[in-house]
Amino acid sequence: MALGYVRPARPEDAGEIARIQLATWRVAYRRILPRHVLDNLDEAFLARRWSAAVQEPPSGAHRVLVAVEQAEQSYLVGFAASGPADAEALAPGEPADALGPDVAAVTDLLVEPRWGRRGHGSRLLAATVDLWREDGLSRAVAWAFDGDEATRKFLTSTGWEPDGAARALDVDDMLVPQVRLHVAVPTEPVTEDRPGE
């Protein structure tokens, strides 16, 4: 089992979060998204967006957490971003109040592939769930690409299930299907550390 921990993201982490996002998307989504879209992603632009997300979140319940691998040196290896569900969490045609004020939405949960299967994803998710509980959120949703079996398998192994909602993102004139998963936020902390995530 890897030695690692999760902490809130700091402003100086924004560049590394952007690098992890870019590296992970280019590996995990290479068969899902058009290659030229992945090739043209701008790391500096992503870093600015992450800097704003860390320093100026829309609310106190919007958070970015990072996973750190401890060895001779410490490395940022993954991150999670979530907050109260907003319009981006809705399915097409769903009314604005469909999810309710007690629902959280995961916008990102990524572990760089070379650091995968070392417990970082599980730690990120567990820390995120603990914060949802503190914020009084009772349910959570997350969109996953239909072709992203790794993310869907990870989430379903921790109790998430498809809720029947689907959508297709228009990525440079290519429709990329997504499914929405949901889970009830446990009322008590989960101390179990799932190996291999």
Side-chain angles (χ1 to χ4, degrees), residues 29 80 106-110 121-122 124-126 128-129 132 140-145 148-162 179-184 194 197:
Y29 301 152
V106 175
T107 55
D108 290 278
L109 177 58
L110 297 173
S122 294
L124 281 166
L125 188 57
T128 300
V129 169
W132 294 338
V141 296
W143 287 99
F145 288 116
D148 182 2
E149 291 182 24
T151 296
R152 289 189 299 118
K153 183 177 178 183
F154 170 65
L155 289 174
T156 57
S157 75
T158 61
W160 293 66
E161 297 178 327
V179 295
R180 190 173 66 194
L181 297 101
H182 71 125
V183 71
R194 296 178 186 275
E197 304 308 332

Side-chain angles (χ1 to χ4, degrees), residues 39-54:
D39 288 345
N40 291 326
L41 288 171
D42 181 2
E43 191 170 332
F45 170 76
L46 293 174
R48 287 191 299 275
R49 290 189 62 196
W50 286 114
S51 180
V54 170

